[in-house]
Amino acid sequence: MSAPRILFYVQHLLGIGHWRRAMILAKAMREADFAVTLVSGGIADEGEKAEDVAVVQLPPVRTGDAELRTLIDAAGRPLDEALRSRRRAQLLAALAATAPAAVVVESYPFGRRAFCFELEPLIAAARAMRPRPIILSSIRDVLVARSDPLRAAGIAETVQRDFDGVLVHGDPRLIRLEESFPAAAALGDKLFYTGYVARAAEDGDVAGTGEVLVSAGGGAVGARLLGTALAARPLTSLADAPWRLVTGPNLAASAFREVVATAPPGVTVERYRPDLPALFRRCVLSISQAGYNTVLDLIAARARAVVVPFAQGRETEQQQRAERLQSRGLLTLLRESELDPPQLAAAITKALAAPPLGEPPLDLDGARRSAETIRALLRERA
């Protein structure tokens, strides 16, 4: 019997966190003997690959600003109907070619509403297939806060009408979905908490031992954090320790050159480290942004950490999660509005004085459990 097939759609706009979480999930699905086709709508990330996971790259779309207000193509042009049509046709062709047992859509309908032009036809086509695949939404533990309750009610109605389940990649002992999505109760038994989706650190090296590790996620909005960290270094008790700055592949070339030019002796600057989770395990302190993937890597590594959540525009997700993790003693939070060298140095002192972290009090097995949930839903359908 052939392996059940999964079509998994993901669209990242600014950073690469959505793509990397999708890849972790796809690897776990593959290990659970699913055949996985991952459809990417964002700029290709060459740093994250998986054997035996087919990737369909749509004509890429990204955001033109940190507040996610404009969408542009790979050349920086606004989206037009021709590009929308090409993406829609390619996505529907992938669905037809895959004939999946399950369709997983990352974020939608809770987010990515600007992509209704291709997602509504995808879901309609999936619902019309015989046999019909199960249709699932894959979301983080915290959603961007919505001020309009009618919008939340409409999302819940869409889930009830078109979806068989919502995979919430979080642990309700830390944060429940209704804290950021008040209409969660209306989802009823379609809501499945999977646990957090964390990467396993393959740790067979000694690189980075005793370092201060500064990382900026994908790097698209990381220049300020990197520059402030360099300015804070001489103000800390770790001024003489080796520091490593990992800028992320999306930091602008001019900003990367500036970081390299201003880095003093004892500071290493790199674009990308595939072994970043292992470096978290070995560092004396981490300073980073507070994206979903990064904070889970830090908790899994039991690293002492200072995090600075991204909080531009309507973004509240990183801040809300980081506040909850700080209340559990798992990291030290510095708000983006407070980010300057003296305050970062004070946060470093606070993090170094904190007690060592023990066993993480969170479920970090969300990738495997997501695959198990899909398997259970397919059994129920059968």
Side-chain angles (χ1 to χ4, degrees), residues 96-373:
T98 305
V103 173
V104 181
V105 181
E106 202 266 344
S107 293
Y108 187 81
F110 302 89
R112 301 296 185 259
R113 303 288 295 178
F115 293 86
C116 285
F117 66 88
E118 62 191 18
L119 291 175
E120 288 181 352
L122 171 71
I123 292 167
R127 286 172 57 83
M129 296 178 79
R130 296 294 181 268
R132 182 177 83 78
I134 62 171
I135 303 172
L136 303 170
S137 176
S138 165
I139 61 174
R140 295 177 298 203
D141 57 334
V142 180
L143 301 177
V144 174
R146 305 284 183 191
S147 58
D148 183 359
L150 293 179
R151 175 80 172 274
I155 292 169
E157 289 176 8
T158 299
V159 171
Q160 290 291 5
R161 182 185 66 240
D162 294 336
F163 287 78
D164 297 287
V166 178
L167 305 176
V168 182
H169 302 304
D171 185 335
R173 295 174 298 176
L174 182 73
I175 301 175
R176 297 191 63 84
L177 183 62
E178 54 262 33
E179 296 183 49
S180 58
F181 184 70
L187 304 180
D189 60 2
K190 291 190 175 184
L191 202 60
F192 300 93
Y193 287 96
T194 68
Y196 284 99
V197 177
R199 291 186 287 183
E202 298 177 3
D203 200 354
D205 200 353
V206 295
T209 301
E211 290 182 342
V212 176
L213 178 60
V214 184
S215 57
V221 290
R224 182 182 172 202
L225 174 64
L226 296 165
T228 305
L230 286 177
R233 182 176 181 242
L235 307 178
T236 74
S237 61
L238 297 171
D240 295 327
W243 286 47
R244 185 188 303 269
L245 274 58
V246 181
T247 69
N250 295 338
L251 183 72
S254 58
F256 181 79
R257 290 193 294 270
E258 182 176 352
V259 172
V260 171
T262 56
V267 176
T268 301
V269 181
E270 297 175 298
R271 273 269 186 204
Y272 175 71
R273 290 289 303 212
D275 60 342
L276 194 62
L279 292 181
F280 285 140
R281 288 187 182 276
R282 294 190 289 267
C283 71
V284 67
L285 178 75
S286 167
I287 303 167
S288 70
Q289 293 182 311
Y292 179 102
N293 298 338
T294 297
V295 296
L296 292 172
D297 285 345
L298 290 167
I299 291 167
R302 306 185 191 182
R304 295 180 187 272
V306 174
V307 301
V308 182
F310 176 66
Q312 296 182 33
R314 296 184 299 110
E315 292 297 320
T316 56
E317 167 248 332
Q318 292 191 13
Q319 182 74 30
Q320 185 174 346
R321 184 185 305 108
E323 287 174 351
R324 192 62 55 86
L325 292 171
Q326 178 173 247
S327 73
R328 297 290 183 91
L330 297 174
L331 49 75
T332 298
L333 166 65
L334 180 64
R335 295 177 184 274
E336 191 174 65
S337 60
E338 300 169 341
L339 180 61
D340 62 29
Q343 296 206 68
L344 179 55
I348 289 170
T349 299
K350 180 180 177 181
L352 292 174
L357 297 181
E359 186 69 25
L362 302 174
D363 181 354
L364 302 180
D365 201 19
R368 182 184 63 82
R369 206 178 310 281
S370 296
E372 288 180 349
T373 301

Side-chain angles (χ1 to χ4, degrees), residues 65-119:
D65 61 272
E67 296 185 358
L68 311 182
R69 290 175 298 190
T70 59
L71 298 179
I72 56 178
D73 66 13
R77 299 175 298 236
L79 271 62
D80 57 20
E81 188 51 40
L83 182 140
R84 292 187 180 94
S85 296
R86 289 198 305 275
R87 282 179 55 110
R88 183 166 53 241
Q90 193 171 344
L91 180 56
L92 293 175
L95 174 70
T98 305
V103 173
V104 181
V105 181
E106 202 266 344
S107 293
Y108 187 81
F110 302 89
R112 301 296 185 259
R113 303 288 295 178
F115 293 86
C116 285
F117 66 88
E118 62 191 18
L119 291 175

Side-chain angles (χ1 to χ4, degrees), residues 22-107:
M23 185 60 77
I24 297 168
L25 287 163
K27 290 176 181 177
M29 294 171 189
R30 188 68 194 91
E31 290 170 0
D33 294 324
F34 288 104
V36 184
T37 298
L38 193 57
V39 180
S40 171
I43 301 295
D45 174 22
E46 299 299 327
E48 198 74 29
K49 300 285 187 180
E51 291 184 8
D52 300 324
V53 172
V55 176
V56 174
Q57 177 65 57
L58 303 181
V61 170
R62 59 188 175 90
T63 184
D65 61 272
E67 296 185 358
L68 311 182
R69 290 175 298 190
T70 59
L71 298 179
I72 56 178
D73 66 13
R77 299 175 298 236
L79 271 62
D80 57 20
E81 188 51 40
L83 182 140
R84 292 187 180 94
S85 296
R86 289 198 305 275
R87 282 179 55 110
R88 183 166 53 241
Q90 193 171 344
L91 180 56
L92 293 175
L95 174 70
T98 305
V103 173
V104 181
V105 181
E106 202 266 344
S107 293

